[in-house]
Amino acid sequence: MWTTLLTTIKVNVREKSNLLWLFFFPILMASLFWGMFSGLTNIQVEAQNFAVVHDSNWNSVPGADSLVASLAGKNSSHTKLIVPTVVKSLGEAKERVNVKKDSGYLYVTDQGSLGIAISDDMYNKVTNTLSSSTAGVVLSSLRSIITQFNHAADSVEGVSESGNPAKAQQTIAEYVKASAASAKHPYTHDRSLTHFAPDQFARYYYALLGMVCMMSMSFAISSITSAQANLSPLGARRSVAPQAKWRQFGAIMIASWLTSFASMAVSFCYIRYVCDIVMGGREGLAIAALFVASFTATALGLLVGAIPRLSHGVKTGISTGIACFGALFAGLYGTFAMNISDAISRDAPALDLINPVKQVSNLFYDLLYYDSLQPFVQTIMILLITGAICVALSISIMRRRSYANL
């Protein structure tokens, strides 16, 4: 039995297609994900050059200079949105925009409201969905801040013109004092819903692990097919060997299980330590999840491999189809697929039970997003039951196999 076990492991590892699809392919896909997503998690807002028109209108608006200083990040820890350049007139500001020295300019209208104008280049960056520029973030923030500033200025002006300037000033002072006191006693508090802050793109990596796990069915398929006398010359020799069938089957199962686990462990370690997709300190449980997932994949591979009269190529095609089709509903193929996966989990959760790729990806999803281990244990039980059923069926098929001649 041990000789069969070691030989099966060597054959599985030496198979070039196994090395390509189950060791190198997951690393390549994870690298592509890392290249696409690495620049999207921690976007640094790039400050835009803006001219500030200091004309007679500007000087009539109190607090405008303080606002610009705040937008420029001076004397505060806030994000720097603009790099201001003071000009004397609208004409000078427009000239700087035309020669592309600035992305826009801030000014005060004749009605006393703060306004903003942007260049065509900045408009194109904002409206271009494929652009990686943060100009849209800057523009959206500027519009919101300027709108709030104008509303605040209108409110102060309305109070000042109410008929009693002294009372208006007193009212404003009391309002500011009350606001400051209220700020020291906030009515809301931050609360974390998970035990750590997960990476928003981690689900794609774990859906990839789910697909890789199901692709590792090919280890068991190749091994069990080579043990069938009508499909392999090696199987014909094994069928007349004195070794009991249960020993052959047990050696094939353990060897395929170990090689499947090895391929998944390599992919997981690359995702965890090279792509830096954290597990919140639950790496040990993730390894246990890999062990259970590889058992289920091996069991499914044994069941597919035990199907009589199908060639090795057809059986491998079936395993690839299960992996690729299941990965669609696990959300591997982009936002659209992820939305489909979420919709199925929400509206038809029973369909997830027949999708092994989804169940494997759920193992890591449960560890990533839930404080409690109950969802993780539940998924473990689903995979163990699925694997046990597949092993029982494959044993039943193999025990009843007989050949009229060899």
Side-chain angles (χ1 to χ4, degrees):
M1 179 175 178
W2 291 109
T3 301
T4 303
L5 173 66
L6 294 176
T7 302
T8 303
I9 292 177
K10 291 178 181 179
V11 171
N12 285 336
V13 173
R14 290 174 180 174
E15 179 64 35
K16 293 181 179 178
S17 61
N18 290 339
L19 290 177
L20 174 62
W21 292 108
L22 299 172
F23 287 91
F24 296 116
F25 173 74
I27 292 176
L28 176 62
M29 287 296 297
S31 300
L32 290 175
F33 285 167
W34 180 81
M36 290 188 297
F37 300 145
S38 60
L40 301 179
T41 53
N42 295 309
I43 298 177
Q44 297 296 325
V45 175
E46 181 182 356
Q48 302 293 317
N49 294 323
F50 266 77
V52 179
V53 183
H54 268 227
D55 55 8
S56 57
N57 289 340
W58 183 273
N59 295 328
S60 66
V61 178
D65 289 328
S66 298
L67 176 64
V68 171
S70 178
L71 295 176
K74 297 179 180 179
N75 303 322
S76 71
S77 60
H78 298 159
T79 301
K80 184 177 182 180
L81 295 178
I82 66 172
V83 178
T85 301
V86 176
V87 297
K88 298 298 183 181
S89 65
L90 276 174
E92 186 178 353
K94 292 179 180 179
E95 180 63 24
R96 289 182 61 85
V97 170
N98 290 335
V99 298
K100 299 183 180 180
K101 289 184 178 180
D102 293 318
S103 298
Y105 56 89
L106 300 177
Y107 66 100
V108 174
T109 65
D110 295 334
Q111 291 75 29
S113 299
L114 190 63
I116 181 175
I118 62 173
S119 65
D120 292 338
D121 288 342
M122 187 173 185
Y123 176 80
N124 291 332
K125 291 178 182 178
V126 171
T127 57
N128 184 5
T129 57
L130 299 179
S131 175
S132 59
S133 173
T134 58
V137 177
V138 172
L139 181 60
S140 177
S141 301
L142 288 176
R143 284 175 173 173
S144 177
I145 293 171
I146 289 173
T147 300
Q148 294 180 27
F149 179 85
N150 288 332
H151 287 169
D154 291 341
S155 299
V156 171
E157 183 179 356
V159 173
S160 300
E161 295 177 353
S162 60
N164 191 335
K167 185 177 180 181
Q169 291 294 333
Q170 182 182 358
T171 303
I172 294 173
E174 292 176 353
Y175 175 78
V176 172
K177 183 178 179 180
S179 298
S182 177
K184 296 179 181 179
H185 303 283
Y187 295 97
T188 60
H189 301 276
D190 291 336
R191 288 291 184 268
S192 176
L193 298 179
T194 57
H195 63 286
F196 81 111
D199 190 302
Q200 59 180 319
F201 299 110
R203 290 181 63 185
Y204 291 97
Y205 290 93
Y206 296 131
L208 173 63
L209 277 178
M211 185 182 76
V212 173
C213 179
M214 289 303 107
M215 290 180 66
S216 68
M217 291 167 56
S218 60
F219 288 127
I221 289 175
S222 299
S223 300
I224 199 69
T225 300
S226 64
Q228 298 178 54
N230 63 326
L231 298 177
S232 167
L234 176 60
R237 293 195 297 271
R238 283 185 174 181
S239 65
V240 296
Q243 188 179 46
K245 283 188 176 182
W246 72 266
R247 290 180 178 273
Q248 296 185 38
F249 186 87
I252 289 173
M253 177 179 173
I254 295 174
S256 302
W257 187 354
L258 292 177
T259 47
S260 173
F261 174 72
S263 68
M264 290 195 66
V266 170
S267 301
F268 173 78
C269 289
Y270 184 83
I271 290 172
R272 170 62 186 88
Y273 297 106
V274 178
C275 300
D276 197 27
I277 302 300
V278 298
M279 286 299 302
R282 292 180 169 179
E283 285 76 11
L285 291 174
I287 295 298
L290 295 176
F291 198 69
V292 173
S294 58
F295 164 72
T296 304
T298 299
L300 285 168
L302 292 174
L303 180 59
V304 173
I307 299 176
R309 297 187 180 87
L310 292 183
S311 66
H312 176 264
V314 173
K315 294 175 181 178
T316 302
I318 292 175
S319 67
T320 303
I322 292 174
C324 295
F325 187 71
L328 170 63
F329 299 101
L332 178 63
Y333 306 134
T335 304
F336 176 73
M338 194 66 73
N339 292 336
I340 293 178
S341 174
D342 292 339
I344 292 176
S345 299
R346 181 178 60 253
D347 301 327
L351 295 179
D352 284 342
L353 297 177
I354 61 175
N355 185 356
V357 178
K358 176 64 175 178
Q359 290 303 319
V360 172
S361 64
N362 276 352
L363 285 174
F364 306 100
Y365 181 87
D366 295 340
L367 291 176
L368 194 67
Y369 288 94
Y370 291 99
D371 289 338
S372 171
L373 292 179
Q374 181 178 354
F376 175 73
V377 173
Q378 181 178 343
T379 307
I380 286 285
M381 295 304 299
I382 292 173
L383 288 173
L384 287 176
I385 292 173
T386 301
I389 292 174
C390 291
V391 169
L393 291 175
S394 57
I395 290 175
S396 177
I397 294 174
M398 294 298 294
R399 282 187 62 187
R400 297 178 181 179
R401 186 69 51 81
S402 61
Y403 306 98
N405 56 75
L406 297 177

